[in-house]
Amino acid sequence: MARKKNSSAEVTGPRIRSAAQRLFARHGYAAVSMRQIAAEVGVQAGALYMYTPDKQSLLYDMMHDHLQALLDSHAALPDCADPVARLEQFTRFHIRFHSARSDAVFIAYMELRNLDEGNFKRIEAMRRNYEARLQDVLEHGRAAGVFQLPDTKLATFAVIAMLTGVNTWYREGGRLSLSHVEDVYWNMVRKAVGV
C-alpha cells in the first residue's frame, strides 16, 4: 500500500525544525505559531508535540545546535602557533561557516530576546565561549607585540560583528566569490589589529 504524502509516518524532527527555521528567519519567532509550522510541514499542529514540547524549546534547540556546531567546527581546525595565522584562520572560518547557514545565523543573533531567562543564559554562555576564542587569539597577538590593540574585548566584538555582517549582503552566485570576500575581510581585520 502506498503511503499518503505528508502522512504522520513521514514527519520527523528535522523536517519540523527546518520549517520552523525558515519561518522564524522570514517572519520572526514571535509572529510564527505552531499551527503555521505544522501547515508548512503538512501535518496537524498536535503532531508537532511529538517532537518538541513547545515553541520555546524549538527555538532553544535551534540556537543550541547551531552554536554547538560552530564551537565543534572551530575546535576541529588545525592548531596554529602564529597569532597572525590564527587570526586569519578565525576570520576565514567565521565567514565560511556562517555563509552556509544564513537562517540559523539570523535566528541565533536576532531571536535572543525571545528566549526565556534560563535558555538565554545557556545560549549566551556558548556565545561567550566562541568570543573568548577570538579574544584569546587577540590577547596572544598583543602580548607577542604583533597586534596593536588597546582593548582586546572591544576588538573581539568589533571583529565578530564585522564578519557576521557578511551574512546580511553576501549571496552565492553574486558578483563576488566567497573566497574573494574572505580575502577582502581578512585584509580589513589585519589592518584593524595593526598588522
Side-chain angles (χ1 to χ4, degrees), residues 82-84 137-149 193-195:
D82 175 60
V84 175
V137 171
L138 297 176
E139 287 173 355
H140 279 90
R142 184 173 69 177
V146 178
F147 301 154
Q148 309 304 313
L149 296 168
V193 300
V195 175

Side-chain angles (χ1 to χ4, degrees), residues 40-74:
E40 183 84 3
V41 176
V43 298
Q44 296 294 319
L48 299 181
Y49 297 101
M50 292 172 32
Y51 299 97
T52 186
D54 53 34
K55 193 169 86 163
Q56 175 68 202
S57 298
L58 193 56
L59 178 64
Y60 170 78
D61 288 345
M62 276 188 238
M63 288 185 177
H64 176 273
D65 291 353
H66 169 72
L67 288 167
Q68 192 62 59
L70 175 68
L71 293 169
D72 292 347
S73 296
H74 183 261

Side-chain angles (χ1 to χ4, degrees), residues 3 8 12 19 22 25 32 50-51 55 58-59 63 73 82 85 96 101 115-116 120 138 159 164 168 171 192:
R3 280 189 187 159
S8 62
T12 63
R22 277 191 311 278
V32 175
M50 292 172 32
Y51 299 97
K55 193 169 86 163
L58 193 56
L59 178 64
M63 288 185 177
S73 296
D82 175 60
R96 205 172 311 116
R101 300 159 179 83
L115 289 172
D116 66 31
F120 178 84
L138 297 176
V159 168
T164 304
T168 63
R171 295 296 172 260

Side-chain angles (χ1 to χ4, degrees), residues 27 56 59 64 76 103 105 110 149 163:
H27 304 291
Q56 175 68 202
L59 178 64
H64 176 273
D103 284 352
V105 172
M110 300 308 295
L149 296 168
L163 299 178

Side-chain angles (χ1 to χ4, degrees), residues 1-142:
M1 182 166 112
R3 280 189 187 159
K4 286 196 267 179
K5 189 174 181 174
N6 293 326
S7 72
S8 62
E10 293 179 37
V11 176
T12 63
R15 285 183 61 217
I16 292 167
R17 288 175 59 153
S18 178
Q21 182 172 290
R22 277 191 311 278
L23 290 169
F24 292 169
R26 189 177 310 134
H27 304 291
Y29 171 84
V32 175
S33 70
M34 292 296 268
R35 287 190 187 286
Q36 286 173 289
I37 297 168
E40 183 84 3
V41 176
V43 298
Q44 296 294 319
L48 299 181
Y49 297 101
M50 292 172 32
Y51 299 97
T52 186
D54 53 34
K55 193 169 86 163
Q56 175 68 202
S57 298
L58 193 56
L59 178 64
Y60 170 78
D61 288 345
M62 276 188 238
M63 288 185 177
H64 176 273
D65 291 353
H66 169 72
L67 288 167
Q68 192 62 59
L70 175 68
L71 293 169
D72 292 347
S73 296
H74 183 261
L77 294 173
D79 289 333
C80 295
D82 175 60
V84 175
R86 284 179 68 200
L87 183 57
E88 181 176 4
Q89 180 187 59
F90 185 95
T91 299
R92 292 180 184 280
F93 166 79
H94 187 93
I95 291 170
R96 205 172 311 116
F97 184 91
H98 286 76
S99 70
R101 300 159 179 83
S102 60
D103 284 352
V105 172
F106 179 83
I107 291 166
Y109 282 87
M110 300 308 295
E111 297 297 349
L112 284 169
R113 67 188 180 274
N114 286 306
L115 289 172
D116 66 31
E117 185 178 348
N119 286 340
F120 178 84
K121 286 179 182 177
R122 287 186 285 278
I123 294 300
E124 192 62 18
M126 295 176 84
R127 289 168 51 108
R128 284 195 184 112
N129 180 330
Y130 184 66
E131 292 163 358
R133 294 174 185 196
L134 175 56
Q135 188 171 351
D136 181 64
V137 171
L138 297 176
E139 287 173 355
H140 279 90
R142 184 173 69 177

